Amino acid sequence: MGARKESVFNSVCFTDFEGRFVARLAAVIPRFFGGAEETKLAGTSARYQCRVKIEYQKDLMGLLEEGMLLAVRNFKQAEVGEERFTLMEVSRVWPEHFGLRGLSDHGYYPMQFEIIEQSEEDWQTDDRSTMMIQIDAIPINYDLVLDKNCEFEFVKGFSYPVVGSSVYLLNSTMINRMYNQKIAKKLNIDSSKTVDDARIDPRLGLIKMFQASKTIIPIYIDFEKLTRYHFGVFAFTGGGKSNLMSNVLRRILLHTDNTKVIVFDISCEYVFLLLDLLADPDVSAKVVLEHKIDSTEQFFNSVVKPREYEVDERIKAGLACIMEQGKLAYYTRPKQRVPTYSQFLDELSAQRKDSMDKPHYMNAIDRVHDAVVEYVEEHGLSENQEVSEDFVGYIDQIAADTIQQFKVHEKSGLYAWATTRNTILDIIRKKQEKEKEEVGGLTTEKIRELLESEEKLVCISISDPFTIKDLVVALTQDLLARRKRKFQVKPYILLVFDEAQEFVPEMGGSMGIDKKCSKQVETLLRQGRKYGLGVCLATQRIAYLNTNALQQLHTYFVGTLPRPYDRALISDTFMIDKGILEKTLEFAPGEWLLSSYIATGIENVPIFIKADNAENEIEKYLKENGSK
């Protein structure tokens, strides 16, 4: 590459920190050779680790950060006038002193102290003869192709880099274009004019690069793909999971027209975290609590708040707005369950087992079975729906005629089943009367109807595990069945499961409602994206999650996970290098590793980000409305 062309590339695509960054690729090291133990230690996403050596400059250590992207020429043939680079992500940076490296614990003690003492002064110089900076970098399986006009293209795949060649550092403008260009165009925004106001700018936060130079690089994400193809948020307690979640949901609701959100809030904290949206008259929303609330004081006490807001009276003004707008309701759990059409068919199957030795009984069962299936198909119903009064009257007549035609004995179980269908009418009518009495109470069916009407946000804050899991099973079955029947995709519905270990626990040790709920959410994850039903799982211990469900996620945010097993599971499930994951141990609350197979500007490349703080939006709302 000529000096002039290299200079152009440096100014447009790369940075050398005003001549400070002079680096060469020293080695390309195979990560593993097939041995089980070696694979376990090395991670799963990269076949090679690259070692980069940099001439020492005293200011450089403060400028280099993990997560930065390096470019090195590779052996792949490029077109005339083009240059092709292998891209690598920095996983570790450290300085090295020649004298300290040669220091032995067996040396004369005064001499050891003298060498160590001398090294402190050396670090404050630019002495390249005794010091250097070393970098470990992981190839991200993309090539950067640049033409003579500095037009760029990212090409998927790994190309072996030329050992000994110069290493270049992608500058902030290139990083912004790389991660944001496609998405900013889709969202019709200018990523160079970014602000932290959620109502103005749909960014999630800032990319953690070039922070020492105070360069701001926003991070945007394709909300449609994020929603439809499922995502996960994983961090230990205090990592900011709920804060990030509320920020993502806020931006989805404010910056998309065809997405609805339902939050299963077992910890009862999202009423506060989404207070500005729930109290906004322009946002169609509903809060569903466990019990009926009669006063603002009760509502205030039922909402979990961060420690600094626990006694903040300004929150009551927002809660009062929610109540005044008729957005507050409570869940009515059915006392007597009306059977569904599928339960009718299951009962007939049970009768069949008891009548295997009576062919005429089998014929009678088949006729009633066919009549149920025909009714469901003719009326465009779902088998998961509760039966109606019209159906009960219809099937009662069919059953009565059938037992007469096939001479079913009046003391048989089939006869007893067929002649007691009308008793279901009493259950249906009692349920209807109960619903009329309980004004504001919402059944599972009514919650589903909310999602199919104008409501954009439904927050279900129920702390009782059995009640909320039972609701999840019934609601998700109904939503999925109805969308399948209608071949419906839009509007997209995002179902959010905070404390996901409660809803999708590992199947081996689960039973009862836990196992049923886990299996149902797994089914939703497998099939939902075909019908516009997306899922978000947020948890602090992914080790307790159903791994089949975990593997359906296409985007993930990883915060601090102290337990090695959790990090290993992330690495194995999402194909992310363990060296990159180790950086998450240093994260402060609100800092995340983001990677996506589909929703980010460049696929499956880990990005270190600092998420915007959701409490800033709440504080802004409280300052403007808290005294009303």
Side-chain angles (χ1 to χ4, degrees), residues 451-522:
L451 292 170
E452 293 180 346
S453 61
E454 296 301 314
E455 307 295 337
K456 283 203 73 174
L457 171 61
V458 177
C459 182
I460 300 177
S461 293
I462 297 176
S463 59
D464 179 61
F466 184 90
T467 302
I468 198 167
K469 289 174 194 175
D470 189 50
L471 172 58
V472 166
V473 172
L475 184 60
T476 53
Q477 279 180 343
D478 198 12
L479 277 172
L480 190 56
R482 290 175 71 84
R483 291 230 161 180
K484 281 182 179 179
R485 180 165 45 81
K486 294 179 179 178
F487 300 101
Q488 182 181 354
V489 175
K490 291 184 178 179
Y492 299 128
I493 297 178
L494 175 64
L495 297 96
V496 179
F497 298 95
D498 198 6
E499 305 297 341
Q501 70 278 1
E502 295 284 345
F503 300 98
V504 276
E506 198 276 320
M507 293 284 282
S510 303
M511 58 183 68
I513 190 64
D514 291 339
K515 189 168 187 176
K516 190 176 180 180
C517 187
S518 184
K519 191 173 182 180
Q520 179 55 35
V521 177
E522 181 189 331

Side-chain angles (χ1 to χ4, degrees), residues 210-277:
F210 303 101
Q211 291 182 310
S213 56
K214 300 191 179 344
T215 303
I216 293 176
I217 312 173
I219 180 68
Y220 295 94
I221 202 161
D222 188 323
F223 292 127
E224 182 179 320
K225 291 177 179 176
L226 178 75
T227 298
R228 189 170 177 183
Y229 292 92
H230 317 313
F231 66 101
V233 179
F234 313 116
F236 196 59
T237 302
K241 289 190 310 299
S242 300
N243 192 301
L244 173 70
M245 282 299 313
S246 63
N247 241 338
V248 172
L249 300 183
R250 181 176 284 104
R251 282 159 173 78
I252 288 173
L253 290 164
L254 290 173
H255 297 283
T256 61
D257 296 323
N258 59 353
T259 304
K260 297 171 180 284
V261 174
I262 178 167
V263 184
F264 295 98
D265 180 21
I266 198 168
S267 54
C268 301
E269 58 187 350
Y270 280 84
V271 173
F272 171 81
L273 291 168
L274 296 173
L275 183 63
D276 56 318
L277 292 182

Side-chain angles (χ1 to χ4, degrees), residues 408-578:
V408 176
H409 197 278
E410 63 184 16
K411 291 187 178 179
S412 67
L414 178 58
Y415 185 94
W417 181 89
T419 54
T420 55
R421 295 305 84 200
N422 260 328
T423 57
I424 297 169
L425 289 175
D426 292 335
I427 299 174
I428 294 174
R429 287 164 186 162
K430 284 178 182 176
K431 181 186 175 188
Q432 290 172 345
E433 289 172 8
K434 186 74 173 173
E435 288 176 4
K436 286 178 184 176
E437 291 172 11
E438 295 178 337
V439 179
L442 296 180
T443 61
T444 303
E445 187 174 352
K446 284 187 177 178
I447 293 172
R448 192 257 307 153
E449 289 171 358
L450 285 177
L451 292 170
E452 293 180 346
S453 61
E454 296 301 314
E455 307 295 337
K456 283 203 73 174
L457 171 61
V458 177
C459 182
I460 300 177
S461 293
I462 297 176
S463 59
D464 179 61
F466 184 90
T467 302
I468 198 167
K469 289 174 194 175
D470 189 50
L471 172 58
V472 166
V473 172
L475 184 60
T476 53
Q477 279 180 343
D478 198 12
L479 277 172
L480 190 56
R482 290 175 71 84
R483 291 230 161 180
K484 281 182 179 179
R485 180 165 45 81
K486 294 179 179 178
F487 300 101
Q488 182 181 354
V489 175
K490 291 184 178 179
Y492 299 128
I493 297 178
L494 175 64
L495 297 96
V496 179
F497 298 95
D498 198 6
E499 305 297 341
Q501 70 278 1
E502 295 284 345
F503 300 98
V504 276
E506 198 276 320
M507 293 284 282
S510 303
M511 58 183 68
I513 190 64
D514 291 339
K515 189 168 187 176
K516 190 176 180 180
C517 187
S518 184
K519 191 173 182 180
Q520 179 55 35
V521 177
E522 181 189 331
T523 301
L524 182 67
L525 281 156
R526 288 182 184 281
Q527 302 177 13
R529 60 177 173 266
K530 301 175 191 173
Y531 304 102
L533 298 175
V535 173
C536 166
L537 303 179
T539 184
Q540 58 180 307
R541 280 304 307 272
I542 67 167
Y544 295 151
L545 255 59
N546 178 340
T547 51
N548 291 330
L550 202 60
Q551 288 166 351
Q552 302 301 315
L553 306 178
H554 281 60
T555 304
Y556 49 95
F557 298 83
V558 184
T560 302
L561 292 171
R563 296 178 178 88
Y565 180 81
D566 289 343
R567 296 195 301 278
L569 188 57
I570 289 273
S571 177
D572 295 340
T573 305
F574 300 119
M575 298 295 287
I576 181 171
D577 192 88
K578 287 185 173 69

